[in-house]
Amino acid sequence: MLNLERLRVLDALARHGSVSGAAEGLHVTTSAVSQQMAKLEREAGQQLLAKRGRGVRLTDAGRLLAEHAARILSQVELAQADLEAQRGQVAGELRLSAFPTAARGLFPAALAALRAEHPQLRVRSQELEPEHAVAGVIRGDLDLAVVLDWYNKPMPMPDGLVKASILDDPADIAMPVDHPLAGRDEVGLEEFADDEWITWGQGEFCHEWLMFTLRAKGVEPQVGHRAAETHTQLGLVAAGLGVCVAPLLGRHPMPEGVVTVPVRQKVRRHVYVVWRADADRRPSIRAAVRALQKVGADLGRLADG
């Protein structure tokens, strides 16, 4: 009889591609992963791992069993979701993430409401950039992730996920108060061709969006500084070191010496939450989505006002 927890270890190995990655994803030691795999090989009666340099790879039998393991674990997730739905109780543990400005702008109110309405639900949250969060949901490390699309650049979304809209978040350009364009009612992105941009980390989805958008306007961006946090970017703007995109969500309070001006082309990002389709019926997920959507609706009314 194959042990379910050992199949979970095999699935993690297949997804992460290494013992250390599987251990990190499962929150166990590398020796625990190796021990579980040795036991699974005895249960299967075949070699599932082979050495590859300093690491390991799955054998043909290992890959075959890993494919079955993924389907089995998905069915277990469905069974757990159905049982939870039948009980109708919002209880247990829920793991969720959001990119930094969404964590600041949405989580305090939404998670406080969840705690008040569902005291038996234990919520664990963390900040993660969208691409890492989606991978975490796919792997099963997270139950929910708040992610985003930009108005002109959707983020690739793998199959097997469900999503729900939270809000459309308008973004302005933040600049020092003495910037030549600071007194304008609106600006065009092409007007910042000579400015240094303060942007996100190299390779991050939002940074790639900004590069794509500016180049589409005929502007080759001059990147002066990079920072993951909006408030760090705004602090650099306040010091006169450049300009940045400043979405409304999570940007307040604004530092002194910074003004924001709307973009003529109406720059917006679509904020939404994703989860695995096989967990769709879990009451805890539904409750969390409702809480996030309520906070998003409240923020959307403030933005429109």
Side-chain angles (χ1 to χ4, degrees):
M1 180 68 68
L2 297 173
N3 180 280
L4 183 62
E5 288 308 309
R6 289 167 198 148
L7 289 177
R8 198 179 301 279
V9 172
L10 176 63
D11 177 66
L13 265 170
R15 288 186 284 102
H16 292 278
S18 69
V19 171
S20 59
E24 183 178 352
L26 295 170
H27 307 291
V28 298
T29 63
T30 54
S31 61
V33 170
S34 298
Q35 290 169 15
Q36 289 287 70
M37 286 303 302
K39 292 177 181 178
L40 184 59
E41 285 184 328
R42 288 197 293 272
E43 290 173 353
Q46 295 189 62
Q47 184 180 1
L48 304 176
L49 293 179
K51 289 185 178 181
R52 182 175 59 187
R54 294 184 178 180
V56 296
R57 63 172 178 82
L58 293 178
T59 64
D60 289 344
R63 285 194 296 271
L64 177 63
L65 186 55
E67 292 173 2
H68 284 289
R71 290 193 292 270
I72 290 167
L73 292 170
S74 179
Q75 285 300 120
V76 170
E77 181 80 29
L78 281 169
Q80 291 173 334
D82 284 346
L83 286 171
E84 198 175 307
Q86 188 179 46
R87 288 196 306 268
Q89 295 179 338
V90 180
E93 182 174 270
L94 194 70
R95 303 155 299 167
L96 67 162
S97 75
F99 55 95
T101 52
R104 184 187 308 115
L106 295 172
F107 275 3
L111 302 190
L114 274 175
R115 173 175 287 186
E117 295 171 19
H118 307 289
Q120 292 181 298
L121 180 64
R122 182 185 181 194
V123 178
R124 294 288 177 263
S125 69
Q126 61 179 301
E127 289 185 357
L128 277 179
E129 291 299 329
E131 55 269 40
H132 302 305
V134 168
V137 173
I138 291 291
R139 290 195 306 266
D141 300 337
L142 294 168
D143 299 304
L144 289 163
V146 178
V147 297
L148 63 91
D149 283 334
W150 287 94
Y151 72 103
N152 60 340
K153 190 175 178 64
M155 188 174 73
M157 193 59 55
D159 294 335
L161 296 183
V162 180
K163 69 179 183 178
S165 178
I166 303 297
L167 80 158
D168 281 335
D169 186 28
D172 303 326
I173 303 300
M175 64 196 77
V177 69
D178 59 356
H179 192 282
L181 301 178
R184 295 270 294 275
D185 292 331
E186 60 181 18
V187 292
L189 292 175
E190 65 278 3
E191 295 181 83
F192 296 93
D194 296 327
D195 286 272
E196 281 197 351
W197 284 90
I198 299 160
T199 181
W200 298 267
Q202 181 72 38
E204 290 184 9
F205 179 66
C206 289
H207 171 78
E208 296 303 321
W209 162 79
L210 181 60
M211 299 299 101
F212 167 82
T213 302
L214 290 173
R215 285 166 181 155
K217 297 290 182 182
V219 175
E220 184 55 38
Q222 302 179 48
V223 176
H225 306 277
R226 302 178 189 275
E229 281 278 358
T230 296
H231 274 230
T232 304
Q233 294 183 7
L234 292 172
L236 294 168
V237 172
L241 298 173
V243 300
C244 74
V245 175
L248 182 63
L249 180 63
R251 82 182 182 199
H252 294 292
M254 292 285 291
E256 291 186 10
V258 176
V259 297
T260 58
V261 181
V263 180
R264 189 177 302 117
Q265 298 88 350
K266 302 301 181 189
V267 173
R268 285 181 176 264
R269 58 184 187 177
H270 178 55
V271 180
Y272 55 101
V273 59
V274 299
W275 63 95
R276 293 185 306 280
D278 54 20
D280 191 45
R281 295 187 62 194
R282 288 178 58 189
S284 57
I285 284 179
R286 290 295 175 183
V289 171
R290 286 194 299 270
L292 289 165
Q293 286 180 321
K294 182 180 185 306
V295 175
D298 292 341
L299 291 172
R301 283 193 289 271
L302 287 174
D304 292 339

